[in-house]
Coordinates of all heavy atoms in Angstrom, one line a residue:
M26 N -13.9 13.1 3.6 CA -12.7 12.3 3.2 C -12.8 11.9 1.8 O -13.9 11.7 1.3 CB -12.6 11.1 4.1 CG -11.4 10.2 3.8 SD -11.2 8.8 4.8 CE -9.6 8.3 4.3
K27 N -11.7 11.9 1.2 CA -11.6 11.4 -0.2 C -11.9 9.9 -0.3 O -12.1 9.2 0.8 CB -10.3 11.7 -0.8 CG -9.1 10.9 -0.1 CD -7.8 11.1 -0.8 CE -6.7 10.3 -0.1 NZ -6.7 8.9 -0.2
D28 N -12.0 9.4 -1.4 CA -12.2 7.9 -1.6 C -11.0 7.2 -1.0 O -9.9 7.7 -0.9 CB -12.4 7.5 -3.1 CG -13.6 8.0 -3.7 OD1 -14.5 8.5 -2.9 OD2 -13.8 7.9 -4.9
L29 N -11.3 6.0 -0.6 CA -10.3 5.1 0.1 C -9.9 4.0 -0.9 O -10.8 3.3 -1.4 CB -10.8 4.5 1.4 CG -9.9 3.8 2.3 CD1 -8.9 4.7 2.9 CD2 -10.7 3.0 3.3
K30 N -8.6 3.9 -1.2 CA -8.2 2.8 -2.1 C -7.5 1.8 -1.3 O -6.5 2.0 -0.6 CB -7.2 3.4 -3.2 CG -6.8 2.3 -4.1 CD -5.9 2.8 -5.3 CE -5.5 1.7 -6.2 NZ -4.6 2.1 -7.2
V31 N -8.0 0.5 -1.4 CA -7.5 -0.6 -0.7 C -7.0 -1.7 -1.7 O -7.7 -2.0 -2.6 CB -8.6 -1.2 0.2 CG1 -8.1 -2.4 1.0 CG2 -9.2 -0.1 1.1
L32 N -5.9 -2.3 -1.4 CA -5.4 -3.4 -2.2 C -5.3 -4.6 -1.3 O -4.9 -4.6 -0.2 CB -3.9 -3.1 -2.7 CG -3.7 -2.0 -3.7 CD1 -2.2 -1.9 -4.0 CD2 -4.5 -2.2 -4.9
T33 N -5.9 -5.7 -1.9 CA -5.7 -7.0 -1.3 C -4.6 -7.7 -2.0 O -4.5 -7.7 -3.2 CB -7.0 -7.9 -1.3 OG1 -7.4 -8.0 -2.7 CG2 -8.1 -7.2 -0.6
V34 N -3.6 -8.2 -1.2 CA -2.4 -8.7 -1.8 C -2.1 -10.2 -1.5 O -2.2 -10.5 -0.3 CB -1.2 -7.8 -1.3 CG1 0.1 -8.3 -1.9 CG2 -1.4 -6.4 -1.7
C35 N -1.8 -10.9 -2.5 CA -1.3 -12.3 -2.3 C -0.1 -12.5 -3.2 O 0.3 -11.6 -3.9 CB -2.4 -13.3 -2.5 SG -2.9 -13.6 -4.2
G36 N 0.4 -13.7 -3.3 CA 1.6 -14.0 -4.1 C 1.4 -13.8 -5.6 O 2.1 -13.0 -6.2
A37 N 0.3 -14.3 -6.2 CA 0.1 -14.2 -7.6 C -0.9 -13.1 -7.9 O -1.0 -12.7 -9.1 CB -0.4 -15.6 -8.2
G38 N -1.7 -12.7 -7.0 CA -2.7 -11.7 -7.2 C -4.0 -12.2 -7.9 O -4.7 -11.4 -8.5
V39 N -4.2 -13.5 -7.8 CA -5.4 -14.1 -8.5 C -6.4 -14.6 -7.5 O -7.4 -14.0 -7.2 CB -4.9 -15.1 -9.5 CG1 -6.1 -15.7 -10.3 CG2 -3.9 -14.5 -10.5
G40 N -6.2 -15.8 -7.0 CA -7.2 -16.5 -6.3 C -7.5 -16.0 -4.9 O -8.5 -15.5 -4.6
T41 N -6.5 -16.1 -4.0 CA -6.6 -15.7 -2.6 C -7.0 -14.2 -2.5 O -7.9 -13.8 -1.8 CB -5.4 -16.0 -1.8 OG1 -5.0 -17.4 -2.0 CG2 -5.6 -15.7 -0.4
S42 N -6.3 -13.4 -3.2 CA -6.6 -11.9 -3.1 C -7.9 -11.6 -3.7 O -8.6 -10.6 -3.2 CB -5.5 -11.1 -3.8 OG -5.4 -11.3 -5.2
T43 N -8.4 -12.3 -4.6 CA -9.8 -12.1 -5.2 C -10.8 -12.4 -4.2 O -11.8 -11.7 -3.9 CB -10.0 -12.9 -6.5 OG1 -9.0 -12.5 -7.4 CG2 -11.4 -12.7 -7.0
L44 N -10.7 -13.6 -3.5 CA -11.6 -13.9 -2.4 C -11.6 -12.9 -1.3 O -12.6 -12.5 -0.8 CB -11.3 -15.3 -1.9 CG -11.7 -16.5 -2.8 CD1 -11.1 -17.8 -2.2 CD2 -13.2 -16.6 -3.0
L45 N -10.4 -12.5 -1.0 CA -10.2 -11.5 0.1 C -10.9 -10.2 -0.3 O -11.5 -9.5 0.5 CB -8.7 -11.3 0.4 CG -8.4 -10.4 1.5 CD1 -9.0 -10.7 2.8 CD2 -6.8 -10.3 1.7
R46 N -10.7 -9.8 -1.6 CA -11.3 -8.5 -2.1 C -12.8 -8.6 -1.9 O -13.4 -7.6 -1.4 CB -11.0 -8.3 -3.5 CG -11.6 -7.0 -4.1 CD -11.6 -7.0 -5.6 NE -12.6 -7.9 -6.0 CZ -12.6 -8.6 -7.1 NH1 -11.6 -8.5 -8.0 NH2 -13.5 -9.4 -7.5
M47 N -13.5 -9.7 -2.2 CA -14.9 -9.8 -2.1 C -15.3 -9.7 -0.7 O -16.3 -8.9 -0.3 CB -15.4 -11.1 -2.7 CG -15.2 -11.1 -4.2 SD -15.9 -12.6 -5.0 CE -15.0 -13.9 -4.3
N48 N -14.6 -10.3 0.2 CA -15.0 -10.3 1.7 C -14.7 -8.9 2.3 O -15.4 -8.4 3.1 CB -14.3 -11.4 2.4 CG -14.9 -12.7 2.1 OD1 -16.1 -12.8 1.7 ND2 -14.1 -13.8 2.3
I49 N -13.6 -8.3 1.8 CA -13.3 -6.9 2.3 C -14.3 -5.9 1.8 O -14.7 -5.0 2.6 CB -11.9 -6.5 1.8 CG1 -10.8 -7.3 2.5 CG2 -11.6 -5.0 2.0 CD1 -10.6 -7.1 3.9
N50 N -14.8 -6.0 0.6 CA -15.8 -5.1 0.1 C -17.1 -5.2 1.0 O -17.6 -4.2 1.4 CB -16.2 -5.5 -1.3 CG -15.5 -4.7 -2.3 OD1 -15.2 -3.5 -2.1 ND2 -15.1 -5.3 -3.4
E51 N -17.4 -6.4 1.3 CA -18.6 -6.7 2.2 C -18.4 -6.1 3.6 O -19.3 -5.4 4.1 CB -18.9 -8.2 2.3 CG -20.1 -8.5 3.1 CD -20.4 -10.0 3.1 OE1 -20.1 -10.7 2.1 OE2 -20.8 -10.5 4.2
A52 N -17.2 -6.2 4.1 CA -16.9 -5.7 5.4 C -17.0 -4.2 5.4 O -17.6 -3.6 6.3 CB -15.5 -6.2 5.9
F53 N -16.4 -3.5 4.4 CA -16.4 -2.1 4.4 C -17.9 -1.6 4.2 O -18.3 -0.6 4.8 CB -15.6 -1.5 3.2 CG -14.2 -1.2 3.6 CD1 -13.1 -2.0 3.2 CD2 -13.9 -0.1 4.4 CE1 -11.8 -1.8 3.6 CE2 -12.6 0.2 4.8 CZ -11.5 -0.7 4.4
R54 N -18.7 -2.3 3.4 CA -20.1 -1.8 3.2 C -20.8 -1.9 4.6 O -21.7 -1.0 4.8 CB -20.8 -2.8 2.2 CG -20.6 -2.4 0.8 CD -21.5 -3.1 -0.2 NE -21.4 -4.5 -0.1 CZ -20.6 -5.2 -0.9 NH1 -19.8 -4.7 -1.7 NH2 -20.6 -6.6 -0.8
S55 N -20.5 -2.8 5.4 CA -21.2 -2.9 6.7 C -21.0 -1.6 7.6 O -21.8 -1.3 8.5 CB -20.8 -4.1 7.5 OG -19.5 -3.9 8.0
F56 N -20.0 -0.8 7.3 CA -19.7 0.4 8.1 C -20.5 1.6 7.5 O -20.5 2.7 8.1 CB -18.2 0.7 8.1 CG -17.5 -0.2 9.0 CD1 -16.8 -1.3 8.5 CD2 -17.5 -0.1 10.4 CE1 -16.1 -2.2 9.3 CE2 -16.8 -1.0 11.2 CZ -16.1 -2.0 10.7
Q57 N -21.1 1.5 6.3 CA -21.9 2.5 5.7 C -21.1 3.9 5.7 O -21.6 4.9 6.2 CB -23.3 2.6 6.4 CG -24.0 1.4 6.3 CD -25.4 1.4 7.0 OE1 -25.6 2.3 7.8 NE2 -26.3 0.5 6.7
L58 N -20.0 3.9 5.2 CA -19.1 5.0 5.1 C -19.6 6.1 4.1 O -20.2 5.7 3.1 CB -17.7 4.6 4.8 CG -17.0 3.6 5.8 CD1 -15.7 3.1 5.2 CD2 -16.8 4.3 7.1
P59 N -19.4 7.4 4.4 CA -19.9 8.4 3.5 C -19.0 8.7 2.3 O -19.0 9.8 1.8 CB -20.0 9.6 4.5 CG -18.8 9.4 5.4 CD -18.8 7.9 5.6
F60 N -18.2 7.8 2.0 CA -17.3 7.9 0.8 C -17.1 6.6 0.1 O -17.5 5.5 0.7 CB -15.9 8.5 1.2 CG -15.3 7.8 2.3 CD1 -14.5 6.7 2.1 CD2 -15.4 8.2 3.6 CE1 -13.9 6.0 3.2 CE2 -14.8 7.6 4.7 CZ -14.1 6.5 4.5
H61 N -16.6 6.6 -1.0 CA -16.4 5.3 -1.8 C -15.1 4.6 -1.4 O -14.1 5.2 -1.2 CB -16.3 5.6 -3.3 CG -16.2 4.4 -4.2 ND1 -17.1 3.5 -4.4 CD2 -15.1 4.0 -4.9 CE1 -16.7 2.5 -5.1 NE2 -15.4 2.8 -5.5
V62 N -15.2 3.3 -1.2 CA -14.0 2.5 -0.9 C -13.8 1.6 -2.2 O -14.7 0.8 -2.6 CB -14.3 1.6 0.3 CG1 -13.0 0.7 0.5 CG2 -14.5 2.5 1.5
K63 N -12.7 1.8 -2.8 CA -12.3 1.0 -4.0 C -11.3 -0.1 -3.5 O -10.2 0.2 -3.1 CB -11.7 1.9 -5.0 CG -11.4 1.1 -6.3 CD -10.9 2.0 -7.4 CE -10.6 1.2 -8.7 NZ -10.1 2.1 -9.7
V64 N -11.7 -1.4 -3.7 CA -10.9 -2.5 -3.3 C -10.5 -3.2 -4.6 O -11.3 -3.6 -5.4 CB -11.6 -3.4 -2.4 CG1 -10.7 -4.6 -1.9 CG2 -12.2 -2.7 -1.2
E65 N -9.2 -3.4 -4.7 CA -8.6 -4.1 -5.9 C -7.7 -5.2 -5.4 O -7.0 -5.1 -4.3 CB -7.8 -3.2 -6.8 CG -8.6 -2.1 -7.4 CD -7.7 -1.1 -8.2 OE1 -6.5 -1.3 -8.2 OE2 -8.2 -0.1 -8.7
N66 N -7.7 -6.3 -6.1 CA -6.7 -7.4 -5.7 C -5.5 -7.3 -6.7 O -5.6 -6.9 -7.8 CB -7.4 -8.8 -5.8 CG -8.0 -9.1 -7.1 OD1 -9.0 -8.5 -7.5 ND2 -7.4 -10.0 -7.8
T67 N -4.4 -7.7 -6.1 CA -3.1 -7.7 -6.9 C -2.1 -8.6 -6.3 O -2.3 -9.1 -5.2 CB -2.6 -6.2 -7.0 OG1 -1.6 -6.2 -7.9 CG2 -2.1 -5.8 -5.6
S68 N -1.0 -8.8 -7.1 CA 0.1 -9.6 -6.6 C 1.0 -8.7 -5.8 O 1.0 -7.5 -5.9 CB 0.9 -10.2 -7.8 OG 1.5 -9.1 -8.5
L69 N 1.9 -9.3 -5.0 CA 2.9 -8.6 -4.2 C 3.8 -7.7 -5.1 O 4.1 -6.6 -4.8 CB 3.7 -9.5 -3.3 CG 4.7 -8.8 -2.4 CD1 3.9 -7.8 -1.5 CD2 5.4 -9.8 -1.6
S70 N 4.2 -8.3 -6.2 CA 5.1 -7.6 -7.1 C 4.5 -6.3 -7.7 O 5.1 -5.3 -7.8 CB 5.7 -8.5 -8.2 OG 4.6 -9.0 -9.0
R71 N 3.2 -6.4 -8.1 CA 2.5 -5.3 -8.6 C 2.2 -4.3 -7.5 O 2.1 -3.1 -7.8 CB 1.2 -5.7 -9.3 CG 1.4 -6.4 -10.7 CD 0.1 -6.5 -11.4 NE 0.4 -7.1 -12.7 CZ -0.4 -7.9 -13.3 NH1 -1.5 -8.3 -12.7 NH2 0.0 -8.4 -14.5
A72 N 1.9 -4.7 -6.3 CA 1.6 -3.9 -5.2 C 2.8 -2.9 -4.9 O 2.6 -1.8 -4.5 CB 1.3 -4.7 -4.0
K73 N 4.0 -3.4 -5.2 CA 5.2 -2.6 -4.9 C 5.2 -1.3 -5.7 O 5.8 -0.3 -5.2 CB 6.4 -3.4 -5.1 CG 6.6 -4.5 -4.1 CD 7.9 -5.3 -4.4 CE 8.0 -6.4 -3.3 NZ 9.1 -7.3 -3.6
G74 N 4.6 -1.2 -6.8 CA 4.5 0.0 -7.6 C 3.2 0.7 -7.5 O 3.0 1.7 -8.2
A75 N 2.3 0.3 -6.7 CA 1.0 0.8 -6.6 C 0.9 1.9 -5.5 O 1.6 1.8 -4.6 CB -0.1 -0.3 -6.4
T76 N -0.1 2.7 -5.7 CA -0.4 3.7 -4.6 C -1.7 3.3 -4.0 O -2.7 3.1 -4.7 CB -0.5 5.1 -5.2 OG1 0.7 5.4 -5.9 CG2 -0.8 6.2 -4.1
C77 N -1.8 3.3 -2.7 CA -3.0 2.9 -2.0 C -3.0 3.5 -0.6 O -2.0 4.0 -0.1 CB -3.3 1.4 -2.0 SG -2.0 0.6 -1.0
D78 N -4.2 3.5 0.0 CA -4.3 4.0 1.4 C -4.1 2.9 2.4 O -3.7 3.1 3.5 CB -5.7 4.6 1.6 CG -5.9 5.8 0.7 OD1 -5.2 6.8 0.8 OD2 -6.8 5.7 -0.2
L79 N -4.5 1.6 2.0 CA -4.4 0.5 2.9 C -4.2 -0.8 2.1 O -4.7 -0.9 1.0 CB -5.8 0.4 3.6 CG -6.1 -0.9 4.4 CD1 -5.1 -0.9 5.7 CD2 -7.5 -0.9 4.9
M80 N -3.4 -1.7 2.6 CA -3.2 -3.0 2.1 C -3.7 -4.0 3.1 O -3.4 -3.9 4.3 CB -1.7 -3.3 1.8 CG -1.2 -2.7 0.5 SD 0.4 -3.3 0.1 CE 0.8 -2.2 -1.2
V81 N -4.3 -5.0 2.6 CA -4.8 -6.2 3.4 C -4.1 -7.4 2.8 O -4.2 -7.7 1.6 CB -6.3 -6.3 3.4 CG1 -6.8 -7.4 4.3 CG2 -7.0 -5.0 3.8
T82 N -3.4 -8.1 3.7 CA -2.7 -9.3 3.2 C -2.5 -10.3 4.3 O -3.1 -10.2 5.4 CB -1.3 -8.8 2.6 OG1 -0.7 -9.9 1.9 CG2 -0.4 -8.3 3.7
F83 N -1.6 -11.3 4.1 CA -1.4 -12.3 5.1 C 0.0 -12.2 5.7 O 0.9 -11.5 5.1 CB -1.5 -13.7 4.3 CG -2.8 -13.8 3.6 CD1 -3.0 -13.4 2.3 CD2 -3.9 -14.3 4.3 CE1 -4.2 -13.5 1.7 CE2 -5.2 -14.4 3.7 CZ -5.3 -14.0 2.4
E84 N 0.3 -12.8 6.8 CA 1.5 -12.7 7.5 C 2.7 -12.9 6.6 O 3.7 -12.2 6.7 CB 1.6 -13.7 8.7 CG 2.8 -13.5 9.6 CD 2.8 -12.1 10.2 OE1 1.8 -11.7 10.7 OE2 3.9 -11.5 10.3
S85 N 2.7 -13.9 5.7 CA 3.8 -14.2 4.8 C 4.2 -13.0 3.9 O 5.3 -13.0 3.4 CB 3.6 -15.4 4.0 OG 2.4 -15.3 3.3
F86 N 3.3 -12.1 3.6 CA 3.5 -11.0 2.7 C 3.6 -9.6 3.5 O 3.8 -8.6 2.9 CB 2.5 -10.8 1.7 CG 2.3 -12.1 0.9 CD1 1.1 -12.8 1.0 CD2 3.3 -12.6 0.1 CE1 0.9 -14.0 0.2 CE2 3.1 -13.8 -0.7 CZ 1.9 -14.5 -0.6
A87 N 3.4 -9.6 4.8 CA 3.2 -8.4 5.6 C 4.5 -7.5 5.6 O 4.4 -6.3 5.4 CB 2.9 -8.8 7.0
A88 N 5.7 -8.1 5.7 CA 6.9 -7.3 5.8 C 7.1 -6.5 4.5 O 7.4 -5.3 4.5 CB 8.1 -8.2 6.1
D89 N 6.9 -7.2 3.3 CA 7.1 -6.6 2.1 C 5.9 -5.5 1.8 O 6.2 -4.5 1.3 CB 7.1 -7.6 0.9 CG 8.4 -8.4 0.9 OD1 9.4 -7.8 1.2 OD2 8.3 -9.6 0.5
A90 N 4.7 -5.8 2.3 CA 3.6 -4.9 2.1 C 3.9 -3.6 2.9 O 3.6 -2.5 2.4 CB 2.3 -5.6 2.6
R91 N 4.5 -3.7 4.0 CA 4.7 -2.5 4.9 C 5.8 -1.6 4.2 O 5.9 -0.4 4.5 CB 5.2 -2.9 6.3 CG 4.0 -3.4 7.1 CD 4.4 -3.7 8.5 NE 3.2 -4.2 9.3 CZ 3.0 -5.4 9.6 NH1 3.9 -6.4 9.2 NH2 1.9 -5.8 10.2
K92 N 6.6 -2.2 3.3 CA 7.6 -1.4 2.6 C 6.9 -0.5 1.5 O 7.4 0.5 1.1 CB 8.6 -2.2 1.9 CG 9.5 -3.0 2.9 CD 10.4 -3.9 2.2 CE 11.2 -4.8 3.2 NZ 12.0 -5.8 2.5
C93 N 5.7 -0.9 1.1 CA 4.9 -0.3 0.0 C 3.9 0.7 0.6 O 3.6 1.7 -0.1 CB 4.2 -1.3 -0.8 SG 5.2 -2.6 -1.5
C94 N 3.3 0.4 1.7 CA 2.2 1.1 2.2 C 2.3 1.2 3.8 O 2.5 0.2 4.4 CB 0.9 0.4 1.8 SG -0.6 1.2 2.4
P95 N 2.2 2.4 4.3 CA 2.3 2.5 5.8 C 1.2 1.8 6.6 O 1.4 1.4 7.7 CB 2.3 4.0 6.0 CG 1.7 4.6 4.8 CD 1.9 3.7 3.7
D96 N 0.0 1.6 6.0 CA -1.1 1.0 6.6 C -1.4 -0.4 6.0 O -1.8 -0.5 4.9 CB -2.4 1.9 6.5 CG -2.2 3.2 7.3 OD1 -1.8 3.1 8.5 OD2 -2.5 4.2 6.8
V97 N -1.1 -1.4 6.8 CA -1.3 -2.8 6.4 C -2.1 -3.5 7.5 O -1.8 -3.4 8.6 CB 0.1 -3.5 6.2 CG1 -0.1 -4.9 5.9 CG2 0.9 -2.8 5.1
I98 N -3.1 -4.2 7.0 CA -3.9 -5.1 7.9 C -3.5 -6.5 7.5 O -3.5 -6.9 6.4 CB -5.4 -5.0 7.7 CG1 -5.9 -3.6 8.2 CG2 -6.2 -6.1 8.4 CD1 -7.4 -3.3 7.9
V99 N -3.0 -7.3 8.6 CA -2.6 -8.7 8.4 C -3.8 -9.5 8.9 O -4.2 -9.4 10.0 CB -1.3 -8.9 9.1 CG1 -1.0 -10.4 9.0 CG2 -0.2 -8.1 8.6
I100 N -4.2 -10.4 8.0 CA -5.3 -11.3 8.4 C -4.8 -12.7 8.5 O -3.9 -13.1 7.9 CB -6.5 -11.2 7.5 CG1 -6.2 -11.6 6.1 CG2 -7.1 -9.8 7.5 CD1 -7.2 -12.3 5.4
Q101 N -5.5 -13.5 9.3 CA -5.2 -14.9 9.5 C -6.1 -15.8 8.6 O -5.6 -16.8 8.1 CB -5.4 -15.3 11.0 CG -4.6 -14.5 11.9 CD -3.1 -14.6 11.7 OE1 -2.6 -15.7 11.5 NE2 -2.4 -13.5 11.7
N102 N -7.4 -15.5 8.5 CA -8.3 -16.3 7.8 C -9.2 -15.4 6.9 O -10.1 -14.7 7.4 CB -9.2 -17.1 8.8 CG -10.2 -18.0 8.1 OD1 -10.4 -17.9 6.9 ND2 -10.8 -18.8 9.0
L103 N -9.0 -15.5 5.6 CA -9.7 -14.7 4.6 C -11.2 -14.9 4.6 O -12.0 -14.1 4.2 CB -9.2 -14.8 3.2 CG -9.4 -16.1 2.4 CD1 -10.5 -15.8 1.4 CD2 -8.1 -16.5 1.8
M104 N -11.6 -16.1 5.1 CA -13.1 -16.4 5.1 C -13.7 -16.0 6.5 O -15.0 -16.1 6.6 CB -13.3 -17.9 4.9 CG -12.7 -18.3 3.5 SD -13.3 -17.3 2.1 CE -15.0 -18.0 2.0
D105 N -13.0 -15.6 7.4 CA -13.5 -15.2 8.7 C -14.0 -13.7 8.6 O -13.2 -12.8 8.8 CB -12.5 -15.3 9.8 CG -13.0 -15.0 11.2 OD1 -14.1 -14.4 11.3 OD2 -12.3 -15.4 12.2
K106 N -15.2 -13.5 8.3 CA -15.8 -12.2 8.1 C -15.8 -11.3 9.4 O -15.6 -10.1 9.4 CB -17.2 -12.3 7.5 CG -17.1 -12.8 6.1 CD -18.5 -13.0 5.5 CE -18.4 -13.6 4.1 NZ -19.6 -13.7 3.5
N107 N -15.8 -12.0 10.6 CA -15.7 -11.3 11.8 C -14.3 -10.7 12.0 O -14.2 -9.5 12.5 CB -16.1 -12.2 13.0 CG -17.6 -12.5 13.1 OD1 -18.4 -11.6 12.7 ND2 -17.9 -13.7 13.5
E108 N -13.3 -11.5 11.7 CA -12.0 -11.0 11.8 C -11.8 -9.8 10.9 O -11.2 -8.7 11.3 CB -10.9 -12.1 11.4 CG -9.5 -11.5 11.5 CD -8.5 -12.5 10.9 OE1 -8.8 -13.6 10.4 OE2 -7.3 -12.2 11.0
L109 N -12.2 -9.9 9.6 CA -12.1 -8.8 8.7 C -12.8 -7.5 9.2 O -12.2 -6.4 9.2 CB -12.6 -9.2 7.3 CG -11.9 -10.4 6.6 CD1 -12.6 -10.7 5.4 CD2 -10.5 -10.0 6.3
K110 N -14.0 -7.7 9.6 CA -14.8 -6.5 10.1 C -14.1 -5.9 11.3 O -14.0 -4.7 11.4 CB -16.2 -6.9 10.4 CG -17.1 -5.8 10.6 CD -18.6 -6.2 10.8 CE -19.5 -5.0 11.1 NZ -20.9 -5.4 11.2
E111 N -13.6 -6.7 12.2 CA -13.0 -6.2 13.4 C -11.7 -5.4 13.1 O -11.5 -4.3 13.6 CB -12.6 -7.4 14.3 CG -11.9 -7.0 15.6 CD -11.6 -8.2 16.5 OE1 -12.4 -9.1 16.7 OE2 -10.4 -8.2 17.0
K112 N -10.9 -6.0 12.2 CA -9.6 -5.3 11.9 C -9.9 -4.1 11.0 O -9.2 -3.1 11.2 CB -8.7 -6.3 11.2 CG -8.2 -7.3 12.2 CD -7.1 -8.2 11.6 CE -6.6 -9.1 12.7 NZ -5.6 -10.1 12.2
I113 N -10.9 -4.1 10.2 CA -11.2 -2.9 9.4 C -11.7 -1.8 10.3 O -11.4 -0.6 10.2 CB -12.2 -3.2 8.3 CG1 -11.5 -4.0 7.2 CG2 -12.8 -1.9 7.7 CD1 -12.4 -4.6 6.1
G114 N -12.6 -2.2 11.3 CA -13.1 -1.3 12.3 C -11.9 -0.6 13.1 O -12.0 0.6 13.3
E115 N -11.0 -1.4 13.5 CA -9.8 -0.9 14.2 C -9.0 0.1 13.3 O -8.6 1.2 13.8 CB -8.9 -2.0 14.6 CG -9.4 -2.9 15.7 CD -8.6 -4.2 15.9 OE1 -7.5 -4.3 15.3 OE2 -9.0 -5.0 16.7
Y116 N -8.9 -0.2 12.1 CA -8.2 0.7 11.1 C -9.0 2.0 11.0 O -8.4 3.1 11.1 CB -8.0 0.1 9.8 CG -7.7 1.0 8.7 CD1 -6.3 1.5 8.6 CD2 -8.6 1.5 7.8 CE1 -6.0 2.4 7.6 CE2 -8.2 2.4 6.8 CZ -6.9 2.9 6.7 OH -6.6 3.8 5.7
L117 N -10.3 1.9 10.8 CA -11.1 3.1 10.6 C -11.1 4.0 11.9 O -11.1 5.2 11.8 CB -12.6 2.7 10.3 CG -12.7 2.1 8.9 CD1 -14.1 1.5 8.7 CD2 -12.4 3.0 7.8
K118 N -11.1 3.4 13.1 CA -11.0 4.1 14.3 C -9.7 4.8 14.5 O -9.6 5.9 14.9 CB -11.3 3.2 15.5 CG -12.7 2.8 15.6 CD -12.9 1.8 16.8 CE -14.4 1.3 16.8 NZ -14.6 0.2 17.8
S119 N -8.6 4.1 14.1 CA -7.3 4.7 14.2 C -7.1 5.9 13.3 O -6.3 6.8 13.6 CB -6.2 3.6 13.9 OG -6.1 3.4 12.5
K120 N -7.9 6.0 12.2 CA -7.8 7.1 11.3 C -8.9 8.2 11.6 O -9.1 9.1 10.9 CB -8.0 6.6 9.9 CG -6.9 5.7 9.4 CD -5.6 6.4 9.4 CE -4.4 5.5 9.0 NZ -3.1 6.2 9.0
N121 N -9.6 7.9 12.7 CA -10.7 8.8 13.1 C -11.8 9.0 12.1 O -12.3 10.1 11.9 CB -10.2 10.2 13.5 CG -9.3 10.1 14.8 OD1 -9.6 9.5 15.7 ND2 -8.2 10.8 14.7
I122 N -12.1 7.9 11.4 CA -13.1 7.8 10.4 C -14.4 7.4 11.0 O -15.5 8.0 10.6 CB -12.7 6.9 9.2 CG1 -11.4 7.5 8.5 CG2 -13.8 6.7 8.2 CD1 -10.8 6.5 7.5
I123 N -14.4 6.6 12.0 CA -15.6 6.2 12.7 C -15.4 6.4 14.2 O -14.3 6.5 14.6 CB -16.1 4.7 12.4 CG1 -15.0 3.7 12.9 CG2 -16.4 4.5 11.0 CD1 -15.5 2.3 12.9

């Protein structure tokens, strides 16, 4: 598989999406995938013009995120590493990656 590009999305693209990016990177590393996963944080307005394989965001941004990217993970708590790992695992399984 080619590299995987992931965007973490929040309103301004600064604080929350940055914290989410760090935790998402850690969660992806735990799967020891045989390809590179590039995770970037951005604002919802910038995400609308971006190309990615997956967006990770919150319920309040989910509808708009789905208009930009077919694969969206909606999280409840950006600090809950178990939730992140579980939802990323579900995504990877749905794509037959793991």
Side-chain angles (χ1 to χ4, degrees):
M26 178 177 191
K27 65 176 180 67
D28 291 350
L29 187 70
K30 183 175 179 185
V31 180
L32 293 180
T33 59
V34 179
C35 71
V39 182
T41 306
S42 63
T43 300
L44 288 170
L45 183 56
R46 182 196 71 211
M47 292 185 299
N48 289 336
I49 291 290
N50 266 324
E51 185 179 322
F53 269 107
R54 277 194 300 272
S55 72
F56 288 99
Q57 300 177 343
L58 299 170
F60 52 84
H61 180 71
V62 178
K63 182 177 182 180
V64 183
E65 298 176 359
N66 58 291
T67 191
S68 66
L69 183 58
S70 60
R71 285 190 177 146
K73 290 179 181 178
T76 303
C77 65
D78 300 297
L79 173 66
M80 281 190 188
V81 183
T82 193
F83 305 92
E84 188 61 46
S85 55
F86 305 114
D89 286 327
R91 286 188 182 100
K92 293 175 187 174
C93 309
C94 181
D96 292 314
V97 176
I98 293 176
V99 178
I100 60 140
Q101 303 301 313
N102 181 349
L103 72 107
M104 300 308 286
D105 184 346
K106 294 179 182 180
N107 289 327
E108 176 190 6
L109 296 175
K110 190 173 178 181
E111 179 181 315
K112 289 185 176 180
I113 288 169
E115 290 170 4
Y116 167 78
L117 294 172
K118 287 176 186 172
S119 76
K120 297 296 180 184
N121 295 316
I122 297 171
I123 60 169

